Amino acid sequence: MDSPVARSLYVDHVVTIATIGFCLGGFLLAGAGIFLLLHIGSHLEARTLRRVLPVPIGSWGRGPVAAEARIEYGAAGPQVGPVSGEDCVWYHVRLTRSPSRRDSDVGEDLLLDVGSPGWPAIADPSGRVPVDPRKLGGSLRTDPSPAESIRLYYRSAAPVPLPPIVPPDIVAGLKKHESLELTEARMSRGVPVFALGRATSNGLVPSFFTTRTRDEALAARVEDIGVGRGMIIWFGLIGLLLAGGSAAFLGTLS
């Protein structure tokens, strides 16, 4: 350690460790920020769940509403899932091809996007209301989701039977390195759900749609709040210690 070379190697080693500690601290602080945003979202959801209580569908007006009901057929009546062949109240089918022939950043080409001809509905003893299905596969709170799903993968080297909804020319034109993914989401009749959203002249635009009860959904949000608070505190404290300590140490070397 007395030689200049050994001393220089030691300093370089320590600086490397301090720099790694500073970067790791920054990542932890960024993680704390992400958990803070999720924490705020959970608070807002819990407040909404507490404020909007389930009431009979027949008593709904316009605006925020909630109900504990069952999934029922909509105006289009019974549906049949094109992939599963199962009876349902609503379905959504997507067919994609990978890798994309047009945009490598996307990674896949959407070849088919088909929905059932009518909206599903929810009902209780007081009435029935259509449910806008356009958000049922997106960012909607559906944990656990009332939708069932089936997924099929097709490659030339590993072919599987495909339903008639898949055009034959797509299969015939598939290249050896390409694959198809066929997915179907569907909802069955009679499944109990908790639905919360905005009542409009066309029906319910949902923000929550889950097989949980309202009390179970609220308990889950409260649990998320507790977990999020702990993650914010620990990520923030450890991140500050690592980043702050490493920055102070590196400052002494400059």
Side-chain angles (χ1 to χ4, degrees):
M1 186 66 67
D2 293 338
S3 71
V5 174
R7 188 178 300 110
S8 176
L9 290 174
Y10 173 76
V11 171
D12 289 344
H13 183 66
V14 172
V15 168
T16 300
I17 293 175
T19 302
I20 293 173
F22 179 80
C23 294
L24 181 58
F27 282 124
L28 290 174
L29 289 174
I34 293 172
F35 280 116
L36 177 60
L37 294 176
L38 296 174
H39 187 65
I40 294 172
S42 294
H43 266 291
L44 293 175
E45 289 174 353
R47 186 176 68 178
T48 300
L49 287 167
R50 291 190 178 100
R51 180 169 52 87
V52 184
L53 300 177
V55 296
I57 292 173
S59 67
W60 282 6
R62 301 287 179 86
V65 292
E68 290 183 336
R70 291 182 178 273
I71 296 175
E72 275 293 344
Y73 295 129
Q79 307 295 312
V80 176
V83 179
S84 63
E86 297 291 334
D87 176 80
C88 61
V89 304
W90 167 86
Y91 64 80
H92 183 209
V93 174
R94 282 170 52 94
L95 176 66
T96 60
R97 179 181 57 215
S98 300
S100 172
R101 294 182 183 179
R102 294 186 288 268
D103 189 346
S104 58
D105 293 333
V106 175
E108 63 183 24
D109 294 326
L110 179 60
L111 305 178
L112 199 65
D113 192 351
V114 178
S116 54
W119 289 10
I122 56 172
D124 64 15
S126 72
R128 171 191 303 245
V129 63
V131 177
D132 187 339
R134 287 173 290 185
K135 291 179 63 180
L136 292 179
S139 59
L140 183 69
R141 281 290 190 178
T142 58
D143 47 337
S145 172
E148 305 167 77
S149 62
I150 184 172
R151 180 175 283 106
L152 298 177
Y153 295 96
Y154 183 98
R155 291 187 298 115
S156 299
V160 296
L162 294 174
I165 195 172
V166 179
D169 60 315
I170 290 180
V171 178
L174 195 67
K175 299 177 182 178
K176 289 184 178 181
H177 68 284
E178 294 176 333
S179 62
L180 298 176
E181 181 178 348
L182 179 66
T183 61
E184 175 194 274
R186 69 183 185 279
M187 289 195 300
S188 300
R189 183 187 186 193
V191 178
V193 292
F194 166 66
L196 182 151
R198 180 170 51 88
T200 70
S201 58
N202 294 323
L204 176 69
V205 179
S207 54
F208 273 79
F209 202 78
T210 172
T211 55
R212 285 182 170 142
T213 65
R214 179 250 182 189
D215 290 341
E216 290 170 342
L218 179 56
R221 298 289 84 73
V222 172
E223 183 179 352
D224 289 344
I225 289 171
V227 173
R229 184 185 299 116
M231 299 301 287
I232 292 168
I233 292 173
W234 283 109
F235 272 54
L237 285 176
I238 297 173
L240 281 173
L241 288 173
L242 282 173
S246 299
F249 177 77
L250 291 171
T252 63
L253 301 178
S254 59

